[in-house]
Amino acid sequence: MTATPQVRICVPVCEANTRDLIDAFGRAAKVADIVELRLDYLDENELQSAEPAISNLISMSSCPIIITYRPAEQGGHGNISLQERQSFIQRPRAEGSSLESTHYIDIESDLAVLFQAGGGTFNEGTGQDLDWNNVICSHHDFAGVPQDLERIYNLIASTPARVLKIAVQADDVTDCLAVFKLLARARADGREMIAIAMGPAGLATRIIGPSRGSFLTYASLDTDHGTAPGQVTASEMRELYRVEKIDRETQITGLVGFPVTHSVSPAIHNAALKSSGVNGVYLPFPVRELGSFVRRMIHPRTREIDWRMRGLSITTPHKAKVMNFLDWIDDGAKEIGAVNTVVVEGDALHGYNTDAAAFLQVLIENFGTLRDANCAVLGSGGAAAAVLWGLEKKGARVTVFARDRQKAETLAKRFGASDAALESARFAAFDVVINCTTLGTSGSLEKETPATAAQLRGARLAYDLVYNPAETRFLSEAAAAGCKTVGGLSMLIAQAAEQYTLWTGLQAPKQLMTHFALKALQGE
């Protein structure tokens, strides 16, 4: 059995005044393994006056502390000159209150190199020597992954700092590979290291990093107190992703799409994995360039990362395109022309579509028999294809409505349906109207709808495949028009349950999955 690595969750505290800093520290110490005091966030006139209170906090705390005083150009707060940073480190302090009495001090690489060149002090005799055993030597790049990452690593590794830290901005999930390679390099060199990819695309480095030797991982105190893009809360780290349980045997699954930050799928699947006792984790993967992601991170024959990838959920806009990268595709998914589930089988990738069966299950429960039912499908993407396939199997009469009339016509012909323009459509003659677009999804599209109440009036049932938010504008317009409404959550759970079974071979705990989906939608 592989030993579970030590996991340290560090919660940064960033406040403008001493009183709030001390209060936030107390709250952070309850959920963190290490607390970082970001003194660069203190108001300019607060720093010196705060030192006695901070020294007292340090001497009284049983929780390890990192002291950070970082300039804005390196990801900090405020215009702090190099001289001010030097002075801060070397400022004479009362006995027992020096920075060396803290567990760590985070120093940027430029300062560390200067300090090393000075033999431990910048100006001999004017300050205190630095205990390198307490030092984290850091480098931040908020523009992306620098081309000279190896040079940067070599630079900070040339210092005697106990811990090396590199944080880069991830624009796509494949940027995480550079971070995992840094961790492997540091491990081979026998150096302790923190390596993080910032931004939503870098979440995998925060969750998986500790199992690959990262000295710590950062998390926010709550959703309002993140200090870097892509941070999740400490409670999410522990309870949602169970970071302390992840090791090299952990099975990796996740959601591939763009965007995916609105998704409740991590809440659903991670709850199911925990309840079944499966050593697994489900992560969101915001992917722009699908081919590179599959080749470099997923396919067993070509991936550049050593992890136990088990399977993926595929969502917009990749359900059709992913088929180009699979070794085997289920007949139903082939007919639909879209895959929403990938399973890693040996050294091959298998594709399935669990959307269609889930869609039909929910619709029949709420409407009844579909034979000869007059159905309007709004949209022409992968979700619409799955819906059309299912409706055709049940003998419904279908018309596809889309803003792009040519796409609507092409899709309709595949399934023997009719097509029409969406803008001027009226649905009084339809039994069921199904929104298969992303309009209404939480975020920038939330206020949009593919059809208004005036257009929907007269239809019997309106079914929105969008589940977040639970009450979309489309459903509100439909209710105003007198339609019975069905949201997308039931379909989400049904298709997720089938995915779970494909990945684990276990029966999915649907009731539990629904419970956690609702909690996530309510922001709990």
Side-chain angles (χ1 to χ4, degrees):
M1 179 181 291
T2 302
T4 302
Q6 181 177 7
V7 176
R8 303 177 183 91
I9 296 177
C10 177
V11 174
V13 171
C14 311
E15 300 292 344
N17 63 71
T18 308
R19 184 178 61 184
D20 290 344
L21 184 77
I22 301 302
D23 177 68
F25 173 85
R27 289 183 287 119
K30 294 177 181 178
V31 297
D33 300 299
I34 300 177
V35 175
E36 181 182 29
L37 296 181
R38 291 294 302 271
L39 302 188
D40 46 297
Y41 275 78
L42 285 173
D43 289 340
E44 187 175 349
N45 59 352
E46 283 275 331
L47 182 60
Q48 190 162 356
S49 62
E51 191 165 308
I54 293 171
S55 296
N56 183 61
L57 182 153
I58 290 167
S59 64
M60 297 294 292
S61 174
S62 59
C63 179
I65 293 172
I66 299 173
I67 293 290
T68 299
Y69 189 58
R70 181 170 294 131
E73 65 270 18
Q74 299 193 49
H77 186 75
N79 297 316
I80 306 171
S81 68
L82 179 62
Q83 290 72 27
E84 288 173 318
R85 292 155 60 204
Q86 294 173 355
S87 175
F88 172 76
I89 294 176
Q90 293 193 281
R91 186 180 302 146
R93 292 171 173 83
E95 184 178 354
S97 66
S98 69
L99 285 177
E100 283 68 40
S101 68
T102 69
H103 282 201
Y104 306 98
I105 177 170
D106 187 324
I107 300 177
E108 296 71 39
S109 56
D110 60 340
L111 200 59
V113 169
L114 282 174
F115 205 95
Q116 182 184 18
T121 58
F122 292 108
N123 296 295
E124 188 175 352
T126 63
Q128 301 178 82
D129 289 346
L130 187 64
D131 183 351
W132 289 100
N133 193 51
N134 298 116
V135 172
I136 299 171
C137 181
S138 64
H139 176 90
H140 296 76
D141 194 319
F142 288 83
V145 180
Q147 295 295 314
D148 59 343
L149 201 54
E150 184 173 352
R151 181 195 64 79
I152 293 167
Y153 172 86
N154 289 334
L155 175 69
I156 64 174
S158 70
T159 73
R162 173 182 169 182
V163 182
L164 315 179
K165 176 186 175 184
I166 294 180
V168 298
Q169 179 67 28
D171 294 322
D172 200 86
V173 176
T174 52
D175 289 334
C176 294
L177 287 170
V179 169
F180 287 121
K181 289 174 182 177
L182 281 174
L183 290 171
R185 166 79 185 276
R187 197 163 58 248
D189 292 347
R191 300 299 299 267
E192 293 183 288
M193 182 160 200
I194 304 162
I196 297 288
M198 299 176 289
L203 179 62
T205 65
R206 298 179 182 274
I207 305 300
I208 305 296
S211 71
R212 274 29 182 199
S214 189
F215 181 74
L216 58 77
T217 186
Y218 292 92
S220 62
L221 180 57
D222 52 47
T223 54
D224 296 326
H225 288 82
T227 57
Q231 274 187 8
V232 297
T233 67
S235 62
E236 288 174 325
M237 278 277 189
R238 295 190 197 278
E239 297 166 20
L240 174 60
Y241 294 108
R242 296 185 295 150
V243 66
E244 292 158 310
K245 301 292 185 181
I246 296 174
D247 56 29
R248 289 186 170 272
E249 299 303 312
T250 299
Q251 292 190 1
I252 310 296
T253 52
L255 175 65
V256 176
F258 197 87
V260 294
T261 52
H262 68 281
S263 177
V264 301
S265 291
I268 295 171
H269 283 289
N270 283 315
L273 290 166
K274 180 180 180 180
S275 73
S276 302
V278 175
N279 181 7
V281 67
Y282 184 98
L283 301 172
F285 293 118
V287 174
R288 297 176 188 269
E289 212 298 291
L290 183 64
S292 178
F293 171 69
V294 173
R295 183 181 72 256
R296 301 186 65 196
M297 297 188 74
I298 303 303
H299 205 294
R301 295 196 294 268
T302 58
R303 65 189 179 212
E304 300 170 25
I305 179 172
D306 177 22
W307 61 4
R308 294 192 66 194
M309 176 56 62
R310 178 57 182 149
L312 300 168
S313 307
I314 310 295
T315 190
T316 305
H318 300 312
K319 289 186 178 183
K321 188 175 182 181
V322 74
M323 299 174 75
N324 297 321
F325 308 105
L326 305 179
D327 302 290
W328 176 90
I329 300 173
D330 175 73
D331 288 341
K334 285 181 182 177
E335 293 175 15
I336 293 167
V339 161
N340 78 318
T341 308
V342 172
V343 181
V344 180
E345 296 286 2
D347 65 351
L349 300 182
H350 292 192
Y352 302 84
N353 191 299
T354 67
D355 281 334
F359 158 76
L360 287 174
Q361 176 187 324
V362 174
L363 181 56
I364 291 170
E365 287 174 357
N366 286 274
F367 182 80
T369 181
L370 292 170
R371 179 159 298 280
D372 294 325
N374 199 14
C375 300
V377 173
L378 314 186
S380 55
V387 166
L388 280 162
W389 183 84
L391 291 173
E392 180 192 37
K393 296 295 184 186
K394 295 299 180 181
R397 292 180 285 114
V398 185
T399 303
V400 179
F401 294 83
R403 290 177 177 176
D404 187 329
R405 187 65 183 276
Q406 185 174 357
K407 288 183 69 175
E409 181 180 359
T410 301
L411 183 63
K413 283 182 177 178
R414 283 180 52 202
F415 297 100
S418 304
D419 66 276
L422 179 59
E423 288 78 4
S424 58
R426 292 292 184 270
F427 302 105
F430 288 89
D431 297 303
V432 181
V433 182
I434 305 142
N435 175 32
C436 300
T437 77
T438 57
L439 298 180
T441 303
S442 179
S444 61
L445 300 176
E446 190 164 344
K447 295 182 180 180
E448 298 190 37
T449 178
T452 64
Q455 291 175 283
L456 292 165
R457 191 163 288 113
R460 290 174 56 189
L461 183 144
Y463 185 175
D464 198 342
L465 303 194
V466 174
Y467 67 85
N468 187 8
E471 181 69 18
T472 62
R473 185 182 164 195
F474 175 75
L475 292 180
S476 297
E477 296 281 348
C483 305
K484 179 181 178 180
T485 61
V486 178
L489 183 60
S490 295
M491 175 181 166
L492 175 73
I493 298 299
Q495 64 83 29
E498 181 59 26
Q499 290 180 329
Y500 183 82
T501 298
L502 285 169
W503 295 328
T504 67
L506 303 173
Q507 183 174 353
K510 287 187 180 181
Q511 188 172 351
L512 180 80
M513 294 167 86
T514 302
H515 170 73
F516 277 90
L518 289 170
K519 286 186 65 175
L521 287 171
Q522 294 163 4
E524 298 179 15

